[in-house]
Amino acid sequence: TTNFTYAGTGTLALSATGGIGTSDALESTATTLTLNAVTNATSGNIQIDNTGAVTATSVTQTGGSTGNITLTATGSITVATITGADGTVTLTSSGGSILDDSVDTTYINGKAITLTASGRIGGDGTNDVGFAAGALTNILPAIDIDLGTGNLNLSQTGAGGDVHIREVNGTFTTS
């Protein structure tokens, strides 16, 4: 097990060719952990657990890796860019929500995507996605996804809240 501790917030940048936390998740106790330029190529999974919040600025499986990406946090997870292309992307927030960074051009990409939170999944907690003059409004807080050939699995384990998902490249199957 590889563990690290931060007193407050921290930024993690890692690059590997055989996985990051493949056999045992990389564990952190940061209040807020920002994953910036976390990249794995060739083989293996990316698995990171944090006992606080996580901001996934850039987490990527490259080079044709079919490895999975698993991010777990006790706080909220804010999503910018997560690219799992041929693998499954799994995000779990046991004590918070899964939130979007409110940027249209960033999204989760994976063959299959699983999102589990005790709070809301996407949305801003104040209102629902609406329609105005034939166009969607307030879509920025939706979790943006580019789903491959697998399923999109959504689960709320606590009080829950809104679920806002936006497919950026076609249609998707849910379960």
Side-chain angles (χ1 to χ4, degrees):
T1 301
T2 304
N3 303 320
F4 55 99
T5 303
Y6 290 106
T9 62
T11 299
L12 181 64
L14 293 172
S15 180
T17 58
I20 297 171
T22 291
S23 61
D24 186 18
L26 184 67
E27 299 171 0
S28 165
T29 59
T31 304
T32 301
L33 178 64
T34 300
L35 304 176
N36 187 22
V38 174
T39 304
N40 180 57
T42 311
S43 66
N45 299 320
I46 297 174
Q47 296 183 101
I48 300 173
D49 294 342
N50 189 46
T51 58
V54 169
T55 298
T57 303
S58 176
V59 180
T60 307
Q61 290 279 23
T62 64
S65 175
T66 58
N68 301 317
I69 297 174
T70 303
L71 304 180
T72 305
T74 59
S76 291
I77 299 174
T78 301
V79 177
T81 300
I82 300 175
T83 305
D86 294 324
T88 297
V89 175
T90 302
L91 306 181
T92 304
S93 172
S94 63
S97 298
I98 298 175
L99 307 169
D100 190 72
D101 67 347
S102 293
V103 176
D104 277 350
T105 56
T106 60
Y107 52 88
I108 302 169
N109 168 259
K111 181 176 182 178
I113 299 171
T114 298
L115 306 176
T116 303
S118 66
R120 67 184 188 271
I121 298 173
D124 60 13
T126 59
N127 56 21
D128 292 330
V129 174
F131 294 90
L136 284 172
T137 60
N138 196 29
I139 63 168
L140 287 179
I143 300 292
D144 301 315
I145 65 168
D146 182 7
L147 184 64
T149 59
N151 287 335
L152 171 64
N153 301 293
L154 306 171
S155 177
Q156 289 179 310
T157 59
D162 295 339
V163 174
H164 295 238
I165 303 292
R166 182 176 75 102
E167 168 61 58
V168 298
N169 193 22
T171 60
F172 59 90
T173 304
T174 62
S175 66

